[in-house]
Each structure stands twice: as C-alpha cells, then as structure tokens.
Amino acid sequence: MTGVTAVRVRPTQLTVPGSPVGEEDPFPHLGAVRALPVPRLDPTAPADMRERVSYGRLATALPYARFNGYDRRTTPQTLPALELTNGVLTATVLPGLGGRVWSLRDERSGRELLHRNPVLRFANFGLTDAWFAGGIEWNLGSTGHTCLSTRPVHAAVLHLPDGDALRLWEWERTRDLVLQVDLGLEGSRLVASTRVLNPDPEAKPLYYWTNIAVPETPGTRVLCPAEHAWRTAYDGALDRVAFPVPDGDGVDVSRPGASVHAADYFFDVGDRSGRLVAAVEADGLGLLQTSTDRLAGRKLFVWGAGPGGTRWQEWLSGPDRRYCEIQAGACPTQLEHDVLPGGASVSWTETFEPLRLEPEVVAGPYDDACAAAAEVAHGAGRPAALERHHRRWLGEVADRAPDEVLAHGSGWGHAEVLLRGGDWQHRAALPFAEVDDTSAVAVAVLRDEPDERLDALAPARTVPPVSDRWLAVLRARPAHWWVDLAIAVNEHLRGRLDEAEERYRRSAALRPTAVAERGQAQVALAQGRTEAAVEHYTTARRLDPEARTPATEQLELLLDLGRPEDCLEVVEELPDGVRHHGRTRLLRARALADLGRSADAAAIMDDLEVPDLAEGARDLDELWARVRPDQPVPPHLDFRMVREEGTR
C-alpha cells in the first residue's frame, strides 16, 4: 500500500484541558457504585441468554477504591502517551488511563476516526465512579465501565519482523483475571489481539466489551447487518425490537441523531461469521470494526436528542461535540456473563479501519447500506484471513516476551503472583513488576515484614484486598492496626457484622483512623443503631476533616432520619473544600427543601454543579420539582435518561 512504512511505537505526551482524576478514596465502598436494576427480559429471550443474565453480577467493585475526588475545573493536563504509526494510520494510546486509544487518525484523509474528546472530563459512570468519554476502551470485569478505565496498565513494545507492536496488560482484581491487548498496524487497519487469562483453578465470570466512541453528526449512520436488536433504556427492561425502526413510528435509530431517548441496542447477529459494526458519515467516510467470531456481540449506544442526553454530552465533552458508541463484546448483551473455566483463556482479534462507501448508499435503505459495509468487511475472504491471523498471533506472538517496557501499571499483579507462590506461567510475556503503590503494604504482609515496615508504608489510605486467599493471609498475621482494619473490611463485605465491628474496634484501639470509625458507622447502621452510626461518622470527620466520604454519608443519613436541622449544622462545621463541593451543596439544598425553605434551596440550584453526578441519577430534577413545581427543569439540571410516561 502506497505510503505504508514500518510500524513504530514511540513515547510521547498529550496536553489536554480538563481536570485530574484525583486520589483514590480510602474509604472502602462495599456496595455497587450504583445499583443495577434487576433485568426484565423479553419473553422471547432464549434460555442460554437467561442463564447468562442470572450469572456473575458483581456486587461490589472491591478491592478497588473509588475515584471520586475530581472536579469540574479546567487546567492543562499533561498525559503520558504511546504512539503507533505506519504513515497511513496513527494511533495514540494512554497507558495511564486504562490503555485507552485516545485517537485514531487516517493520515491519507487527515480525518480523526474516533471521538477524540477535546477535554479530559470525569463523571460517575464507571464501576469505581470516575470515567471519561472518547476513544477505544477495553472493558474487562462486569456490567459497567471497567475499574481499569482511570488506572495505569503495563505497556511494552515488541519488535516483530514486520514492525513494532504495543502490548498492554494488567491484573483485573474484581475477577482476578489477566487482560492482554496487543496492538499493531497493518496497512490501514489497527489490529487488536486480546486474551483474557484465568490464573486460578476455579471458574470465573467473564465479561468483556470494546467500547468505541465515534463522532455523531446529523448525517451519522450506524450499520450492523441485523433485523432485530435487544434494547435497554435505563429502566431494567431488555426488549427484542425491530431494527432500525424499533417503535413502528418511522424513526430510524440507525441515525443516532434521530433518537430522542438514550438507549442501548444490542444487535441480534446470531451465529453469523465476520461480525461487524460501522459508523459512517453522510459523505460515505467512517469507521469499520470487525473481529474473529469469539467476540460475538455488537451494540449501538445513543444518547438521544432529548434534554438529558444533550446535557450529558455537554457535561462529558463540552458544547457541540456529540458522540455515540459502537461496541463489540464477548456475549450478545452487556447484562450477560459467560464462564471462563479454571486455568483457561479466551482470545480474539478485532480490527478498526477507515470505511469508504458511496454517499447515496449511506443515505439509502438500511439493508443496502449494511450490505455495502459487509462487502468491504468480507471481501477477499477477510473473515477467514483474520481467523488465520489470530491463530498465528496465539502461536507466535502472544507468549513472546516484550522487548522494552514503556510504562508500568499497578503493583497488584506482582502481589497476586506472589500470593499464588510466584508461579505464573505467562510471566515472560506478561511480567508484573513490583511497583511502589497501594500494593506495597500487601506485599509487606506476604513477606511477614515487621510492624514498623507496615507503619512506614502509611497504609491508612489503602483499600485492602478482599479475596479468600488474601483473607487467609491476613488472619495468619499477628495483631496490627492495618491488618485488623483489613480483616474488618473483609468480614464486613461477607456480612459478618459482629466480627467486622470487633476488628474495627481493635484497629481503632491500636491507631484511631477515620476509616475504622466510618466502618463502625456502617455496621451500626446495618444493625439499626442509627444514633451510634451518627456518632461514629462525627468521630471519623474529626479524624480526617478533609475527607468527603464520611461527611457525605453522615449528611445523607441525617436527611434519611428526618433531621434536616442537624444536617445543616454539620454542613456549617465542614472545612471549605468539603462544604463548597457540589455534592454537599446538593445535600444542603435537600435539607432546606425538607424544612420548607424552597426559595433558599432553589437559590443553591441556580448555579449547582455536582461533579460526581451518576449516570441515570434523578437527584437534581426531582429536587427541582419539589422546590419549583411550577417551573420546568432548567437545562443545566436536566440529566434525565429514563423515558417519561407518554413519550417515545
């Protein structure tokens, strides 16, 4: 191909306006970041889908900590990046943010193929809260955006005979699975060969989706050869609908801009080979994704043109930068989990490339446009060739040792390998280095280092590991304040509240910490001892005044107990950084509304921004309806995602 040169990988940097993700929250979050609705499946859902939907739902993102300390300020953010280029395509990868492909540029047309976000803006969309929009994201874990999205991954270059490849890998800790993604360029295609490995003898739930954000314009059309799709719309229902006109009203949702409401459409592609999904503009240019057969699912996500979707788009990417997502996954829908047997692995290869169709075909009947995209994806025996490519990668590259490490992920992979006796059969290909991060205290416990060493690591801000393997190690360690705290979290997670409370108390007796007091508050609350919970939260705030989590949880508890006056008193006690946070201001507005002071509550909401507002949350519009029932929800507060009664 003219202009193609040998693939080269080089380190670089990006400077993007936005805000940092902040520090990890040291207060373990035992529940889900937000509860998923219990799925209501269409009566036609097959038995194997029902079985996969009922299996593997993640109850908590522990042992991961939450990232909830970000804000909405805009300052230049310098990000380490890795660039792959061959003169035809240039891919830019962010190893510090989950290995996200930030940009994929077609050098021949000068066109960006992805939604390259003009800002780095976090919001509460991920399994551990913080998430950002744009690019290509590798989602391993469970329903929701992966815990790795805002965390570093290991990265290294492989010098192969036909050019460089970039390897990304990390230990995913909610499932104790290992993710490996090898990225290369072949002509005009970005090729990603992915493997998920189970290092343990027990079977694990498998959830994986590749999320691809693409620009959305009035002319954007999404193509996937399918006559039906499984639709979810933030209400828990999974309905089988016709595609591209699901509601019989003439609205063609293959044009994302035509959809009023946010929705996921999981294409019913059956067992056909050469699965594909594409997003194309009115001029016929766009992005085509295809894969080997193991990556079975395909999806379209649309924000919709309604007020909520429009506001979320602006919140995540700024004004006039709309996007939609095309996706590919290991199961037909994102409500399902497959089974990965003990000691097994599963793998696939997918490609991303510029797509060129005739504009009149893109504008024509949906079936014709899909057929044109499939002709490109399937031409010259490409599905079979991609399967052969994947087998070669498995046999010749997947277990090859990297030539040069370019970035380090977390040290938890190293700790997990040590925990298992250091026997990691893929340690040459996927070396987990010892990293000076939150894993250091766990490694010190494994090595039975003295208490002084544990104290020196300052692990009060380390959310502990919670697997059965780690709990056995912790129980074998002599008394130490962090060890007791770690055991308390483990017992708490398993519902053994008396044991948890005793361990929290032991830890606090050896060294008082806000984490132990907050843990006791949550135990007391679960046991119905609400006044004791309030008192423990007060102590936690005294021990760590700048921490938002115990303050927020205490304010919410006081409101739930019908004590808005006490809530306002606590707000006045908080330091400025906590008191002026958007979440605290929202809770203050709720307290004022509970006291009948609607005008004062509305005054707060006139300029309210809540940085950690969750996807699908109704906090703002429901409170506005209480304090200003005669006025429509202002655009800056309207994040409604669920279809309202009587709307399409």
PDB file of all heavy atoms in Angstrom, residues 94-111:
ATOM      1  N   LEU A  94      -3.190   5.866  25.791  1.00  0.00           N
ATOM      2  CA  LEU A  94      -2.925   6.439  27.107  1.00  0.00           C
ATOM      3  C   LEU A  94      -2.702   5.317  28.117  1.00  0.00           C
ATOM      4  O   LEU A  94      -3.660   4.774  28.679  1.00  0.00           O
ATOM      5  CB  LEU A  94      -4.099   7.316  27.555  1.00  0.00           C
ATOM      6  CG  LEU A  94      -4.497   8.456  26.620  1.00  0.00           C
ATOM      7  CD1 LEU A  94      -5.667   9.233  27.200  1.00  0.00           C
ATOM      8  CD2 LEU A  94      -3.313   9.377  26.340  1.00  0.00           C
ATOM      9  N   PRO A  95      -1.438   4.938  28.402  1.00  0.00           N
ATOM     10  CA  PRO A  95      -1.203   3.835  29.337  1.00  0.00           C
ATOM     11  C   PRO A  95      -1.604   4.169  30.764  1.00  0.00           C
ATOM     12  O   PRO A  95      -1.892   3.270  31.555  1.00  0.00           O
ATOM     13  CB  PRO A  95       0.307   3.594  29.217  1.00  0.00           C
ATOM     14  CG  PRO A  95       0.862   4.902  28.776  1.00  0.00           C
ATOM     15  CD  PRO A  95      -0.176   5.497  27.877  1.00  0.00           C
ATOM     16  N   GLY A  96      -1.635   5.440  31.116  1.00  0.00           N
ATOM     17  CA  GLY A  96      -2.019   5.836  32.467  1.00  0.00           C
ATOM     18  C   GLY A  96      -3.505   5.839  32.707  1.00  0.00           C
ATOM     19  O   GLY A  96      -3.957   5.991  33.848  1.00  0.00           O
ATOM     20  N   LEU A  97      -4.294   5.682  31.649  1.00  0.00           N
ATOM     21  CA  LEU A  97      -5.755   5.690  31.754  1.00  0.00           C
ATOM     22  C   LEU A  97      -6.315   4.457  31.045  1.00  0.00           C
ATOM     23  O   LEU A  97      -7.029   4.545  30.047  1.00  0.00           O
ATOM     24  CB  LEU A  97      -6.335   6.979  31.173  1.00  0.00           C
ATOM     25  CG  LEU A  97      -6.023   8.254  31.975  1.00  0.00           C
ATOM     26  CD1 LEU A  97      -6.417   9.495  31.193  1.00  0.00           C
ATOM     27  CD2 LEU A  97      -6.722   8.239  33.335  1.00  0.00           C
ATOM     28  N   GLY A  98      -5.937   3.292  31.560  1.00  0.00           N
ATOM     29  CA  GLY A  98      -6.521   2.045  31.100  1.00  0.00           C
ATOM     30  C   GLY A  98      -6.091   1.578  29.733  1.00  0.00           C
ATOM     31  O   GLY A  98      -6.692   0.657  29.179  1.00  0.00           O
ATOM     32  N   GLY A  99      -5.067   2.212  29.142  1.00  0.00           N
ATOM     33  CA  GLY A  99      -4.681   1.851  27.781  1.00  0.00           C
ATOM     34  C   GLY A  99      -5.671   2.334  26.743  1.00  0.00           C
ATOM     35  O   GLY A  99      -5.721   1.797  25.630  1.00  0.00           O
ATOM     36  N   ARG A 100      -6.451   3.345  27.080  1.00  0.00           N
ATOM     37  CA  ARG A 100      -7.453   3.885  26.144  1.00  0.00           C
ATOM     38  C   ARG A 100      -6.777   4.366  24.859  1.00  0.00           C
ATOM     39  O   ARG A 100      -5.756   5.070  24.911  1.00  0.00           O
ATOM     40  CB  ARG A 100      -8.193   5.049  26.801  1.00  0.00           C
ATOM     41  CG  ARG A 100      -9.332   5.676  25.979  1.00  0.00           C
ATOM     42  CD  ARG A 100     -10.606   4.915  26.114  1.00  0.00           C
ATOM     43  NE  ARG A 100     -11.091   4.897  27.495  1.00  0.00           N
ATOM     44  CZ  ARG A 100     -12.026   5.710  27.982  1.00  0.00           C
ATOM     45  NH1 ARG A 100     -12.590   6.622  27.193  1.00  0.00           N
ATOM     46  NH2 ARG A 100     -12.428   5.594  29.239  1.00  0.00           N
ATOM     47  N   VAL A 101      -7.325   3.992  23.704  1.00  0.00           N
ATOM     48  CA  VAL A 101      -6.886   4.569  22.432  1.00  0.00           C
ATOM     49  C   VAL A 101      -7.566   5.929  22.325  1.00  0.00           C
ATOM     50  O   VAL A 101      -8.766   6.022  22.067  1.00  0.00           O
ATOM     51  CB  VAL A 101      -7.239   3.671  21.233  1.00  0.00           C
ATOM     52  CG1 VAL A 101      -6.776   4.333  19.928  1.00  0.00           C
ATOM     53  CG2 VAL A 101      -6.581   2.296  21.382  1.00  0.00           C
ATOM     54  N   TRP A 102      -6.813   6.964  22.546  1.00  0.00           N
ATOM     55  CA  TRP A 102      -7.362   8.317  22.592  1.00  0.00           C
ATOM     56  C   TRP A 102      -7.695   8.831  21.193  1.00  0.00           C
ATOM     57  O   TRP A 102      -8.653   9.577  21.004  1.00  0.00           O
ATOM     58  CB  TRP A 102      -6.332   9.225  23.264  1.00  0.00           C
ATOM     59  CG  TRP A 102      -6.677  10.670  23.379  1.00  0.00           C
ATOM     60  CD1 TRP A 102      -6.241  11.677  22.578  1.00  0.00           C
ATOM     61  CD2 TRP A 102      -7.503  11.279  24.370  1.00  0.00           C
ATOM     62  NE1 TRP A 102      -6.736  12.872  22.997  1.00  0.00           N
ATOM     63  CE2 TRP A 102      -7.521  12.663  24.109  1.00  0.00           C
ATOM     64  CE3 TRP A 102      -8.230  10.793  25.458  1.00  0.00           C
ATOM     65  CZ2 TRP A 102      -8.236  13.561  24.892  1.00  0.00           C
ATOM     66  CZ3 TRP A 102      -8.943  11.693  26.240  1.00  0.00           C
ATOM     67  CH2 TRP A 102      -8.941  13.056  25.953  1.00  0.00           C
ATOM     68  N   SER A 103      -6.890   8.407  20.216  1.00  0.00           N
ATOM     69  CA  SER A 103      -7.044   8.942  18.861  1.00  0.00           C
ATOM     70  C   SER A 103      -6.653   7.882  17.848  1.00  0.00           C
ATOM     71  O   SER A 103      -5.735   7.085  18.084  1.00  0.00           O
ATOM     72  CB  SER A 103      -6.145  10.183  18.693  1.00  0.00           C
ATOM     73  OG  SER A 103      -6.027  10.563  17.335  1.00  0.00           O
ATOM     74  N   LEU A 104      -7.367   7.851  16.718  1.00  0.00           N
ATOM     75  CA  LEU A 104      -7.006   7.010  15.573  1.00  0.00           C
ATOM     76  C   LEU A 104      -7.185   7.871  14.331  1.00  0.00           C
ATOM     77  O   LEU A 104      -8.310   8.160  13.912  1.00  0.00           O
ATOM     78  CB  LEU A 104      -7.886   5.759  15.514  1.00  0.00           C
ATOM     79  CG  LEU A 104      -7.531   4.749  14.420  1.00  0.00           C
ATOM     80  CD1 LEU A 104      -6.116   4.219  14.608  1.00  0.00           C
ATOM     81  CD2 LEU A 104      -8.534   3.592  14.405  1.00  0.00           C
ATOM     82  N   ARG A 105      -6.067   8.269  13.755  1.00  0.00           N
ATOM     83  CA  ARG A 105      -6.082   9.248  12.666  1.00  0.00           C
ATOM     84  C   ARG A 105      -5.742   8.577  11.348  1.00  0.00           C
ATOM     85  O   ARG A 105      -4.738   7.854  11.227  1.00  0.00           O
ATOM     86  CB  ARG A 105      -5.080  10.365  12.967  1.00  0.00           C
ATOM     87  CG  ARG A 105      -4.981  11.441  11.896  1.00  0.00           C
ATOM     88  CD  ARG A 105      -3.959  12.496  12.303  1.00  0.00           C
ATOM     89  NE  ARG A 105      -3.692  13.449  11.238  1.00  0.00           N
ATOM     90  CZ  ARG A 105      -4.422  14.523  10.985  1.00  0.00           C
ATOM     91  NH1 ARG A 105      -5.478  14.769  11.738  1.00  0.00           N
ATOM     92  NH2 ARG A 105      -4.114  15.340   9.992  1.00  0.00           N
ATOM     93  N   ASP A 106      -6.582   8.815  10.362  1.00  0.00           N
ATOM     94  CA  ASP A 106      -6.336   8.370   8.996  1.00  0.00           C
ATOM     95  C   ASP A 106      -5.452   9.427   8.325  1.00  0.00           C
ATOM     96  O   ASP A 106      -5.911  10.527   8.011  1.00  0.00           O
ATOM     97  CB  ASP A 106      -7.677   8.231   8.261  1.00  0.00           C
ATOM     98  CG  ASP A 106      -7.522   7.780   6.819  1.00  0.00           C
ATOM     99  OD1 ASP A 106      -6.367   7.624   6.355  1.00  0.00           O
ATOM    100  OD2 ASP A 106      -8.547   7.596   6.140  1.00  0.00           O
ATOM    101  N   GLU A 107      -4.182   9.098   8.122  1.00  0.00           N
ATOM    102  CA  GLU A 107      -3.237  10.090   7.619  1.00  0.00           C
ATOM    103  C   GLU A 107      -3.497  10.454   6.167  1.00  0.00           C
ATOM    104  O   GLU A 107      -3.111  11.536   5.722  1.00  0.00           O
ATOM    105  CB  GLU A 107      -1.800   9.578   7.792  1.00  0.00           C
ATOM    106  CG  GLU A 107      -1.392   9.319   9.233  1.00  0.00           C
ATOM    107  CD  GLU A 107      -1.357  10.581  10.077  1.00  0.00           C
ATOM    108  OE1 GLU A 107      -1.489  11.681   9.517  1.00  0.00           O
ATOM    109  OE2 GLU A 107      -1.202  10.470  11.309  1.00  0.00           O
ATOM    110  N   ARG A 108      -4.143   9.574   5.411  1.00  0.00           N
ATOM    111  CA  ARG A 108      -4.401   9.888   3.997  1.00  0.00           C
ATOM    112  C   ARG A 108      -5.455  10.973   3.853  1.00  0.00           C
ATOM    113  O   ARG A 108      -5.330  11.874   3.018  1.00  0.00           O
ATOM    114  CB  ARG A 108      -4.846   8.625   3.262  1.00  0.00           C
ATOM    115  CG  ARG A 108      -3.765   7.551   3.169  1.00  0.00           C
ATOM    116  CD  ARG A 108      -4.325   6.254   2.645  1.00  0.00           C
ATOM    117  NE  ARG A 108      -5.384   5.735   3.514  1.00  0.00           N
ATOM    118  CZ  ARG A 108      -6.063   4.630   3.289  1.00  0.00           C
ATOM    119  NH1 ARG A 108      -5.801   3.910   2.203  1.00  0.00           N
ATOM    120  NH2 ARG A 108      -6.988   4.224   4.125  1.00  0.00           N
ATOM    121  N   SER A 109      -6.504  10.919   4.654  1.00  0.00           N
ATOM    122  CA  SER A 109      -7.572  11.917   4.563  1.00  0.00           C
ATOM    123  C   SER A 109      -7.418  13.025   5.593  1.00  0.00           C
ATOM    124  O   SER A 109      -8.094  14.055   5.504  1.00  0.00           O
ATOM    125  CB  SER A 109      -8.935  11.249   4.765  1.00  0.00           C
ATOM    126  OG  SER A 109      -9.055  10.745   6.084  1.00  0.00           O
ATOM    127  N   GLY A 110      -6.523  12.798   6.589  1.00  0.00           N
ATOM    128  CA  GLY A 110      -6.392  13.757   7.673  1.00  0.00           C
ATOM    129  C   GLY A 110      -7.557  13.716   8.631  1.00  0.00           C
ATOM    130  O   GLY A 110      -7.756  14.651   9.415  1.00  0.00           O
ATOM    131  N   ARG A 111      -8.311  12.633   8.612  1.00  0.00           N
ATOM    132  CA  ARG A 111      -9.556  12.540   9.372  1.00  0.00           C
ATOM    133  C   ARG A 111      -9.349  11.746  10.662  1.00  0.00           C
ATOM    134  O   ARG A 111      -8.705  10.704  10.669  1.00  0.00           O
ATOM    135  CB  ARG A 111     -10.616  11.852   8.517  1.00  0.00           C
ATOM    136  CG  ARG A 111     -12.040  11.993   9.006  1.00  0.00           C
ATOM    137  CD  ARG A 111     -12.940  11.791   7.819  1.00  0.00           C
ATOM    138  NE  ARG A 111     -14.328  11.927   8.131  1.00  0.00           N
ATOM    139  CZ  ARG A 111     -15.267  12.208   7.219  1.00  0.00           C
ATOM    140  NH1 ARG A 111     -14.908  12.396   5.960  1.00  0.00           N
ATOM    141  NH2 ARG A 111     -16.524  12.298   7.555  1.00  0.00           N
TER     142      ARG A 111
END
